[in-house]
Each structure stands twice: as structure tokens, then as C-alpha cells.
Amino acid sequence: MLDTPEAVVEALRENDDRPHGLQRTITAEELVEAAEPFEEPDVLVTALLELMSAYEFTGEHRKSPVVFARLLKVWDTAPGAFSEWEARQVFWRFKWVTTSLLQVPEVPLATVHGWIDRMRTRYAAADHGMQPVAAMRYHTAFHTGSGVADAYDLWVTRPRTGLSDCEACETRHLAWHRVASGDDAAALDVWQPVLDGGMSCSEEPQMSQARALLPLLRAGRADEARSHHLTGYRRVRGNTGMQDEVGLHLEFSALSRNEGRGLEILAENRTLFDAVGAPLARLGFLTGVEVLLARLAEDGHGDTAVAGPPGRNWSAGELLAHVRSEADRLAAAFDARNATTAVGDARRARLARRPLLEEPLPLGLRAPVTRPVATAATAADGAAPAAGTDVPEEFTALVGEARRLAAVGHPGESGLWAHVARRLADGTAAHDDRLGPQDLLDAELAEHRGYEHAKKDRDAASAAELETAAGLYERLSMPWQALSARARALAWLSASDGAAGDGSDAAAPTGGPGTGRGHPGEDAVRAGLDEILREAQLLTSRAPLTGEDPSAAEAASGTEVREQRVLAYLTVLYCGAYAAYHEVVRRLPEPADAAAERFEERAGALRAEAERLSVPHHAANARQFVADLAGRRGDTKGAEEELRAALLDVDASGRPWRGSRIRAVLAQVMLARDEPAEAAELLHRALADAARYGDTDFALAPAYALLGHASSHLEDFGGAVRHLSEAAARFDRDEAHAEAADVRLQLADVLARGGQQADAVAVLESVVADEAAVALDERFLAQARLSLARGLRELDEHLAAAEEFLRLADAVAGWDDDRPVQTLVAAETAVTLALADRWEAADTAYGRAVAAHEAAPQPRLIMHMMCEFARLTVHSRGADGLDTALAHLARADAVRTSVPDDTEDFAAWYEQGAVHYRRARVLAEAERFPEALSEAEAAVAAHERGGEHGEVPRAEAVRVAALIEGNGLGRFPDAVARLRTAADRCRTAGLPEAARILDALRQEYANR
């Protein structure tokens, strides 16, 4: 019952603990009604201030001035009802009223100016400085676009007062003024203390982070923009008082080419469409929505389903029309009220902006991938000419260029063959006799299609196309090309999942794999390749690959024909080595002697023949097989030697594009050999060459992931974040979502180690959100959730952390094969619930943890939990909780004494010292100083037994003992002597920071 002032005050106190939102606002309204009948207005004053705060922080700006008018009336009639803090709030909230009135276009501008005049009068009467008044005049001028320069000068030239906006908020306005003036660099300089975390308040840095996103992108500071988006968006997500900021994050998503991320943000903030209490902020939100939707529509995604106002389904095009109509109306209303075009101009400027990047900025998050809708022609291709590859317009020249690149194995050939196929399909070109027989072009295109199918693991389709090509080559009397096509078909089948079969389900014809049947199996593949090799050897005996060509007809084309034969022959040998390599890999770690011998024979033959025939890139291929198997067996030195030799072969071949894969593998080896600097250099070169030569088959996502690891090892955290984010985005584009999630887990670890815990949490939230969309391994998901829960706890978001721990506890409850994990999760859940002040649930989790420990002991974890409960109990209940805290510590001691002496990963000296240390702190809190000092000295003695490993905790125990001795017992000389000895010991032990801390306390005590 709220029938007494005391009851209302208690309800106000409880409501103040709630987060801002609908429930807190409704309760605040009810408490104002409950406070009105009381004879003394002091409770009503408190209730009105609470209600005004609720309106302010939930964006109900239409209502806030009405509440303030009531408050001002009480101030004028009963100023004694206001406490000192409440009296200050009356003057402070004049500013809230001005900004609230500016938010509502129905309020005449004269009314706004009238309030500022009243504010000036009140401030002058109370002898307050005028800087806050000047600030309100500036905000009004900035909003209307009229008299901005003069108002700005009047504001910034006045000294700050105790009623000025906090420094963080004022910095935001100063920086935003420069952004509006077109000076991003100056704005970012002004913003730096806020963006760096040096200034903050309830609204900062999240408001500045949203506004700084585009200036950062325009300044080329993409890494900072990414970070501020990750951390800033989490703080404004779903907040009706931050509609404008959510709109800015939507705009950033669109202009950084992350439209999929924008759709995700739109879905998470659907309720903001119902928030109408702050029309100006609503206009900012709707404009951000419009920027995003316009980008989608422009890219051909107008029919995409999107989240709009609740109550119906929306496509992007439909929502765009709806939002545009309302936003245009709102902008026009503000401009009509202000008699200027400032609001409309600012909106039009936002809508006119184009994406600031050529490629999407990797954010490290998973979001729906949106791309421009492909035309029918490009969709049919499945490929495009590689970057830097010229595409001749004339058809015979186009085919000639494709053949030229194919002859040297240039990665650009794939895109050109796709271009040839499209020209033939759409009728813009036809076969020309100057290109040779029609069958030749058909065979070449069939080979191209077979290669594309193989890349997508479409084994049967690939084999069918290659067999078609082989048949056409045979018809053209081109036996070498036919053998090469059939060999590749079998080799690619050898790498597929079906290759491990025994071959009994189907048999491959000796000439190549059959179609329409099951996988030929390993034995049949091997037999088929052996037969092809015999045919190749027969051909070489009839027409040697070296020396003069005996055929007069072939002599006309001379060197070119011999080169084609040589390459076809080496391709057959390569395919044999390739199949033998995969046979060994399937049998690792202990391949059969026959498989190993076959591989050594095939790889050796490929290398020997390549060297004899002076084709070094095939020698490099042989070395790569050998290096890979050496690496898989742990012989990193042997792998390194082979790969370095392979790079020399590539250099000699004149085909530099073949070095990218070798460098990427060598980088992996160098990382294993703890050489991250060279690994990073190799990967940068590999990626650069892949881009330079348009190698679209190079595995970019794994390469970026490796580069992220290398950068992390080099403590280049910025580079690591950038490269791991790129890797995750590319894995997503390849629909390799499990690999993307794994990279994101690594990314979160790098961010946390680099001091960017909030960024790490944002990434981890994205990972666990994948649970519904991607089939992630339950152990992997549990690790991600554990990292997320710990990260949230590190950010002091204890309730959210506890919720994650509880979800994790449910997930691991059935892990009967891993009970220690259940103990760990229960213990951490209990501590986090206690941190969140959910003591009943914490005690329950505590009991579960103790029970889990009995089944699967984790003594260090359980003791830490008990010590934390002791600390938090005293922190929560003060001296009243002392007995409970000491009981927790007694239980911790009991756990310690029950642990056998030879238990691995349990340092008894450290755990004993930790309990003594915590007991000392608990007793000191209760002002039982003699006992506390005794416990601190016991902690020092325990850590003494740890030798050099105990020096750091020993120094901390000495510091606490000195604090108790000096502050608690007033024995400053003894404390000084203790600290002097301990500091000297720390210097001897090589702990200068610990010595500095002890010396600082010693000096303080010496002065006293």
C-alpha cells in the first residue's frame, strides 16, 4: 500500500534500481499520483523528478515539460520541500525542457525562446553563471540553422559553471559543430577524450560513438569506426531514448556496405517504430532506416523481407515508401515551425550520401549477406574475368587470349572461358573457323565446366564434362589432351569422400570414370590412373618429348606442340601423385606401407620428369605434396625445406601466380615454428599476388585467418582484428559458417587480450546468436557462451553475465563425460549471480557447485567461489554478514585440506595464502584489526613457501598487512618498516611495479 510517505519513498527507491523503460515509467507515473495527497510536498518533489527522468531517458519529450512545469510551481510555493540536490536539479532541468521542446514541431519557436528567457531570469536571480543559457541558445540556433556562428561564439567564450553540461556531453556538441562545418579532422581531435574513454556519463560515449562513425570512415580510420560501432551499438540497442543513435548505426551499416548488418539492427529495434514521444529523434531514426532501405532497393533487393512497424509483414520497398512519407512530413513540420530549411537540408544531405568503401568493412559479426542482384548474364556465368585481365571485345581475340592464359596456367583463364561461354549462349558471338574446329572449342569449354564443377565438389558432373572433353579431343586426334582430361577426372575423384570405398560398388572404365553410376572407389581410381600412365608412356615411346619431332606435320608447329605434350604428360604424372597423396592422407597417422611407397614413387617421378623436361612449376607441385605430408607428420623442418625449394622452382618457372598457395602453406609452417614475422610477410605477399593476378581460386578466408594469427603473435592487435574480421566475413560469403564462427571466437580472444572487452562481447553475442541459424558444435558453442559470460562480467554487466552462465549450465547439464566442466560452470554462475545481487539464486547455484565438486573435484575453482562469496557477503551486508563470510572461508579451508598433496595443478601454499588474505580483508571490513593483521601475516607466510612464484601475492599480502597496521591499528612506524623491507625484496626479485606501490604507501605513512 502506498498510503504513507515512507511507503512511497521506498517504492521510489526500488523503482530507481530498475532500468529505464516502460515499466519504470509507468511506475513513476503511479508514484506521482500516490504522492499528491500528502500534506507535505517533499515526497511529491522526489516523485516528479523521478518521473521527469523516466521521460527524459525513454524519449518521452512531449511529456517532460509538463512535469517540469508542475515541479516549478512547487518550487515557487514551497522551496523548503527541496533537498540541496533537488534544488540543483530544478536549475539543471531547465536545459532538459529546452531540448524537449525543440523535439516537438507543434511547439512554436517563440515558446522555446520564452523558456530560455525564463531560464536566464531564474539563473540570474540565483546568481548562476550564464554559460548553460548560452548553450541552450546555441542548440536552438544549430537546430534552426539561424544565427549559428554568433550563438556558438557566445557559448564557447563563456566559462563553464557547475550547471554546465558535463564535459563529455559538451565535447559531443563541440565536435558535432565541426562535423556540420565539414571539418571531420578537427571534430575527431575534439572527440578524442570521449572516444578514448577519458570522459563519460550516462549518455556518453555511446552518443558520440554513433556520431563519429562516418567521420572516422571518411578519415580512413576504419578500425576505430568498427570498434565504436561494435561497442556503441550495444549501448543504444532497443533504447527508445536513443532513436537517433540507432538511426546513425543503420546509416553506418549502409554506407560501410554492411546492409545485412543493417537489416539485423532493424530487426532488433522494431519497437522503435512505436516510439513517437521525441519526433526529432524519430526523424533521425527514420532517416537512418531510409538510407539503409534505399541502398537495398538500389541493389535490387526491394522485395527482401524486412522488419518494420509491428502488425504486418514488410518488404524493403514497401517499408521504404512508408518511412519516406512519414520522414518527409516530419522534416517539413520542423522547417515550417522554424521558418528555415535546416532540418530538411540535413535530412537530404544524409540521403544523398554514397557508400564510403569499395568493399564491405569487415565487422567481425555474422549478418545476412546482401549483394547486388545479378543480371541473368552474370548469373549464368558463375564467374567473371579476373581483376587485371583484359577482355577482348572481338570474339576470336577473346578465345585466343583464353587459350594463351590456359597454356601458361594463368588464373585469369577461368573468367575468360566463362565470358566465351556466355557470348556463345546469348548469341552475341558464334564459332569462327579461324579458331580451328568447333570440337576443339567445345572440348575446351567442357574442361572449363568440369573444373568449375570440381571446385564445388560436384564430382559426377565434373567427371562427365571431362569425359566429354576427352571424347572430343580423341575425335580431333589429340590423344595427349584426352589423357590429361581423363587423368584429372580420376584425380579429382580421388580427393572426394567416396574415394575411401573399396570400389566394389562400381567400376571405372580404364579410359575414365563412368557417369550415372556410384563413385568408382579408391582401387578403381588407382587402376584407371595406372592405365592412363601406361598409355602416356606408350605415346612417349612413339613420339619422344625431347629432341626433334619426326612428324613433318607436327614440325610445322614445332615447339608449341612439344610443350603441349610435355604439359599433358606431366599433368598425367601430377594426377597420379595427387591421388597417391590423398590415399596417404586418408590413412594418417599410420598409412600402409604400400600407400606410402606409392606416393613416394609417384611424387618422385613427377619431380624427376619435371626437372628433366625443364618444367619447374611441376617440380614445385611435387615438393608441395611432400611438404604437406611432412607437416602433417610434425616434421616442420622438412616441410619448410621443401616449400622454400618449391618457391625457387616457381621463380624459375616464370609463373609467379603459382607462388601464392606455397607461401600460404609455408606461412602456416613458420607459425608452427614460432616465426610469426616471416609468416605475416609470406601471407601479405600471397594475398597481394592473388589480387594482382586475379586468382579467384586462392583460399582467401583461411589466408586472412592465418594472417590474423600471425599478427596476434606479433602483438599487432589492430592488424589481427582487421584480418580475422576479414576472414570471418569471407567464410560467411563462402557459406562456411562453422569456420566463420571459429574465427570469431579467436577474434573475440584477440580483442579481449588487446583491452577491447566490449568489442569482444559484441562479437561473441554474434557467435551465440548463430545457434539458431547455423549448426554449431555444442562444445564449441559452450566455449563461446563461457567466453561471453566472462566478458559480460568483466564489463560489470553482471545480470546479463549471470543469464549467460545459466544458459551454459543448462547446455552442459548432460555432459556426463565431462563433469569437471559442470563444476566450473556452477561455480562461476554462483559468483556472477552474487555480483548481480541475486542472492537467493546465487545460494542455489553455490549448493549445486559444491555438489558438482564432490562428483568431479575442482578445488581451485570451488575455493575461489567460496572466497568470492565471503568478499561479496561483507560488501553487501557489512558487519552483519561477517559470520556468514567467515563460514565460507572455513569451508574453503576444509576443501584445501582435503586435497591430496600430489594433486596436479593445485598449489597448496597459494590456496592457503589466498584464504588467509581474504579472511584478513573480511575481518578488517568488520574493524577486527588484530585478528585481521594476524591473518594477513599468515598469508605472507603461506606465500613465502611458494618461492619465486609466491613473490607477487606475498607483496600484496604485505601491503594489506601494512594497511591494517597503519589505518586500523595506528602503528605507522611498524607499517613503514614492513613496507620498506618488502619493497626492497620486490626490487631484488625483479618486481619494480610492486616495489613502486609499496614505496608509495610507505611514503604516505612516513609523512603521517
Side-chain angles (χ1 to χ4, degrees):
M1 294 291 290
L2 299 174
D3 53 358
T4 66
E6 291 76 15
V8 174
V9 168
E10 181 59 31
L12 284 166
R13 186 177 295 112
E14 291 177 2
N15 200 40
D16 189 56
D17 289 336
R18 292 190 177 99
H20 284 290
L22 183 60
Q23 181 57 54
R24 178 167 174 170
T25 301
I26 291 173
T27 303
E29 291 172 336
E30 293 170 349
L31 292 175
V32 168
E33 291 181 12
E36 283 182 312
F38 301 141
E39 183 176 349
E40 295 297 328
D42 52 342
V43 177
L44 177 61
V45 168
T46 305
L48 287 169
L49 286 168
E50 164 61 21
L51 179 57
M52 193 175 180
S53 294
Y55 286 153
E56 176 73 15
F57 290 104
T58 54
E60 291 287 353
H61 291 283
R62 293 180 183 274
K63 300 177 180 180
S64 185
V66 177
V67 178
F68 187 70
R70 294 180 64 186
L71 191 68
L72 208 56
K73 185 176 180 180
V74 180
W75 171 260
D76 288 336
T77 57
F82 291 75
S83 69
E84 182 179 349
W85 179 86
E86 290 168 338
R88 182 176 185 276
Q89 288 299 303
V90 172
F91 291 96
W92 183 270
R93 297 190 185 195
F94 263 105
K95 297 182 295 182
W96 290 13
V97 174
T98 302
T99 54
S100 291
L101 294 174
L102 285 175
Q103 282 276 343
V104 184
E106 294 85 0
V107 175
L109 203 58
T111 301
V112 179
H113 288 304
W115 267 102
I116 297 175
D117 290 341
R118 293 178 67 182
M119 176 183 175
R120 186 183 189 287
T121 301
R122 298 268 184 168
Y123 271 49
D127 200 24
H128 291 308
M130 290 295 115
Q131 196 260 12
V133 178
M136 293 305 103
R137 294 200 189 281
Y138 165 74
H139 297 324
T140 303
F142 186 88
H143 169 70
T144 63
S146 177
V148 178
D150 289 342
Y152 178 79
D153 288 341
L154 285 172
W155 168 41
V156 298
T157 56
R158 293 178 181 269
R160 285 175 51 79
T161 76
L163 289 170
S164 296
D165 282 346
C166 78
E167 285 192 76
C169 287
E170 196 161 271
T171 296
R172 176 181 76 246
H173 296 305
L174 291 167
W176 196 237
H177 179 84
R178 285 163 173 76
V179 171
S181 302
D183 193 346
D184 287 341
L188 293 171
D189 285 343
V190 171
W191 249 323
Q192 207 60 45
V194 176
L195 298 178
D196 286 347
M199 298 179 183
S200 64
C201 67
S202 61
E203 296 179 338
E204 289 295 348
Q206 59 266 36
M207 293 182 76
S208 287
Q209 286 175 314
R211 282 161 176 73
L213 292 172
L214 295 186
L216 284 166
L217 272 190
R218 289 193 291 259
R221 293 161 62 174
D223 290 347
E224 293 169 75
R226 175 198 300 111
S227 177
H228 290 307
H229 170 66
L230 293 179
T231 58
Y233 172 67
R234 288 188 71 249
R235 298 184 182 205
V236 303
R237 178 174 53 198
N239 186 340
T240 55
M242 292 281 177
Q243 291 182 84
D244 206 354
E245 286 67 32
V246 173
L248 290 168
H249 282 281
L250 286 166
E251 181 179 10
F252 167 78
S253 297
L255 300 185
S256 66
R257 296 191 182 274
N258 281 284
E259 293 89 345
R261 169 64 170 166
L263 291 177
E264 185 178 74
I265 292 174
L266 198 59
E268 290 179 335
N269 293 276
R270 194 174 191 181
T271 56
L272 296 190
F273 284 104
D274 290 333
V276 296
L280 186 60
R282 179 174 178 80
L283 175 60
F285 168 67
L286 294 176
T287 301
V289 174
E290 187 175 346
V291 172
L292 171 68
L293 297 176
R295 289 288 312 137
L296 290 169
E298 185 177 321
D299 283 346
H301 294 287
D303 294 332
T304 298
V306 298
R312 58 160 287 188
N313 296 325
W314 297 88
S315 70
E318 292 168 339
L319 184 58
L320 175 60
H322 173 81
V323 166
R324 180 172 288 159
S325 175
E326 182 181 354
D328 282 345
R329 179 185 59 77
L330 277 173
F334 279 110
D335 284 346
R337 188 270 301 271
N338 300 336
T340 66
T341 61
V343 173
D345 289 345
R347 169 174 154 73
R348 285 183 285 275
R350 288 178 70 181
L351 295 175
R353 289 173 182 150
R354 308 299 300 160
L356 297 170
L357 304 171
E358 291 299 321
E359 295 291 331
L361 173 66
L363 299 176
L365 308 175
R366 181 174 180 263
V369 178
T370 58
R371 299 187 181 93
V373 174
T375 63
T378 57
D381 282 352
T389 302
D390 292 331
V391 183
E393 184 65 29
E394 201 272 321
F395 187 65
T396 58
L398 173 63
V399 174
E401 181 65 6
R403 286 173 174 171
R404 185 185 72 80
L405 295 186
V408 295
H410 192 289
E413 68 159 304
S414 181
L416 291 183
W417 284 125
H419 211 64
V420 170
R422 188 178 74 246
R423 293 282 301 276
L424 291 171
D426 64 17
T428 60
H431 182 265
D432 190 307
D433 289 342
R434 289 176 295 173
L435 297 172
Q438 173 78 52
D439 283 352
L440 176 59
L441 184 58
D442 289 345
E444 291 165 328
L445 290 171
E447 281 193 283
H448 165 68
R449 291 192 298 272
Y451 179 62
E452 294 299 320
H453 285 312
K455 287 195 298 184
K456 298 176 174 62
D457 296 324
R458 297 197 287 256
D459 301 332
S462 175
E465 292 288 0
L466 288 167
E467 189 168 350
T468 296
L472 290 168
Y473 283 130
E474 286 181 341
R475 202 156 71 194
L476 291 165
S477 297
M478 300 175 71
W480 278 113
Q481 285 80 354
L483 286 178
S484 173
R486 289 198 170 108
R488 276 181 285 143
L490 284 170
W492 291 341
L493 284 172
S494 75
S496 67
D497 293 338
D502 60 7
S504 61
D505 56 340
T510 57
T515 57
R517 289 174 284 192
H519 194 290
E522 193 175 77
D523 293 342
V525 167
R526 188 188 309 119
L529 286 169
D530 286 346
E531 177 60 27
I532 290 171
L533 179 58
R534 283 192 289 272
E535 292 184 40
Q537 289 168 339
L538 181 61
L539 284 175
T540 59
S541 67
R542 293 173 179 170
L545 299 173
T546 58
E548 292 300 321
D549 196 321
S551 163
E554 292 174 345
S557 50
T559 303
E560 182 179 344
V561 171
R562 281 196 298 274
E563 286 180 354
Q564 290 176 354
R565 287 177 172 179
V566 166
L567 289 175
Y569 170 62
L570 290 174
T571 297
V572 170
L573 293 179
Y574 171 83
C575 290
Y578 182 87
Y581 158 80
H582 280 286
E583 188 176 337
V584 172
V585 168
R586 274 191 293 276
R587 287 164 171 77
L588 288 176
E590 295 296 335
D593 290 342
E597 289 172 4
R598 180 179 177 81
F599 168 74
E600 290 173 5
E601 175 193 344
R602 298 300 187 197
L606 172 61
R607 178 180 163 188
E609 288 294 86
E611 290 174 346
R612 180 177 72 87
L613 296 168
S614 300
V615 185
H617 73 269
H618 267 301
N621 289 337
R623 291 185 185 279
Q624 286 183 77
F625 289 135
V626 174
D628 183 82
L629 289 180
R632 289 173 185 265
R633 291 173 172 135
D635 179 11
T636 56
K637 187 175 186 299
E640 179 188 349
E641 291 173 354
E642 290 291 343
L643 290 167
R644 292 193 188 281
L647 283 175
L648 293 176
D649 288 334
V650 168
D651 289 342
S653 74
R655 302 183 179 200
W657 49 84
R658 290 186 172 271
S660 294
R661 289 167 181 75
I662 302 174
R663 288 187 174 88
V665 177
L666 179 56
Q668 194 169 7
V669 171
M670 299 315 292
L671 273 175
R673 292 175 66 79
D674 198 24
E675 296 286 349
E678 185 175 1
E681 183 181 342
L682 287 163
L683 287 163
H684 280 299
R685 171 73 185 277
L687 288 163
D689 282 353
R692 176 182 179 185
Y693 298 112
D695 189 352
T696 57
D697 295 334
F698 180 69
L700 290 170
Y704 275 111
L706 274 176
L707 186 51
H709 296 322
S711 300
S712 173
H713 285 296
L714 293 169
E715 296 191 356
D716 173 13
F717 292 113
V721 169
R722 190 160 50 251
H723 302 314
L724 291 172
S725 297
E726 182 72 37
R730 290 184 178 276
F731 275 127
D732 275 336
R733 286 178 222 167
D734 296 338
E735 297 186 354
H737 298 308
E739 289 85 349
D742 183 63
V743 168
R744 288 192 174 97
L745 196 58
Q746 298 164 34
L747 170 61
D749 178 66
V750 169
L751 286 165
R753 287 191 289 118
Q756 296 175 261
Q757 188 63 257
D759 299 52
V761 163
V763 171
L764 290 165
E765 286 176 336
S766 175
V767 171
V768 301
D770 276 357
E771 182 178 12
V774 179
L776 296 175
D777 176 77
E778 66 170 359
R779 305 277 169 153
F780 170 87
L781 189 60
Q783 180 59 57
R785 203 173 289 284
L786 176 62
S787 298
L788 173 58
R790 287 172 170 171
L792 288 165
R793 189 173 61 199
E794 187 77 15
L795 295 176
D796 294 333
E797 297 182 31
H798 298 133
L799 187 56
E803 290 170 354
E804 288 298 333
F805 272 121
L806 289 169
R807 293 188 188 100
L808 180 59
D810 288 340
V812 305
W815 290 12
D816 293 336
D817 61 333
D818 202 353
R819 290 188 179 277
V821 169
Q822 296 172 347
T823 306
L824 178 151
V825 172
E828 295 212 36
T829 302
V831 171
T832 309
L833 284 165
L835 286 166
D837 204 27
R838 298 297 192 268
W839 281 99
E840 185 176 347
D843 289 339
T844 301
Y846 184 103
R848 283 201 303 268
V850 171
H853 168 69
E854 291 173 357
Q858 290 270 38
R860 289 192 306 109
L861 287 170
I862 291 298
M863 290 182 66
H864 175 75
M865 177 192 74
M866 291 169 173
C867 287
E868 279 294 279
F869 262 66
R871 179 180 71 85
L872 294 170
T873 297
V874 171
H875 179 75
S876 175
R877 295 167 52 192
D880 292 341
L882 178 62
D883 289 343
T884 302
L886 292 174
H888 286 304
L889 294 170
R891 296 186 75 173
D893 267 333
V895 170
R896 177 182 57 79
T897 57
S898 69
V899 178
D901 292 338
D902 59 350
T903 299
E904 188 176 353
D905 196 28
F906 186 83
W909 62 265
Y910 177 82
E911 303 301 338
Q912 183 180 13
V915 175
H916 282 303
Y917 173 85
R918 182 51 55 199
R919 191 177 286 115
R921 299 292 297 262
V922 165
L923 288 166
E925 287 272 345
E927 298 186 1
R928 288 166 56 171
F929 298 119
E931 297 167 84
L933 180 59
S934 177
E935 287 295 326
E937 290 174 334
V940 173
H943 292 310
E944 186 85 40
R945 297 201 303 275
E948 64 178 10
H949 301 295
E951 289 297 336
V952 172
R954 182 189 184 282
E956 169 59 13
V958 170
R959 187 186 70 86
V960 168
L963 285 169
I964 295 168
E965 201 165 29
N967 295 346
L969 298 172
R971 291 167 14 196
F972 293 108
D974 293 342
V976 167
R978 183 191 298 273
L979 289 164
R980 180 181 293 108
T981 301
D984 290 343
R985 176 168 176 151
C986 286
R987 276 186 282 273
T988 302
L991 301 171
E993 180 60 19
R996 185 192 64 77
I997 292 171
L998 295 174
D999 279 335
L1001 182 58
R1002 177 185 59 78
Q1003 187 61 49
E1004 178 188 339
Y1005 280 179
N1007 292 338
R1008 292 167 63 176

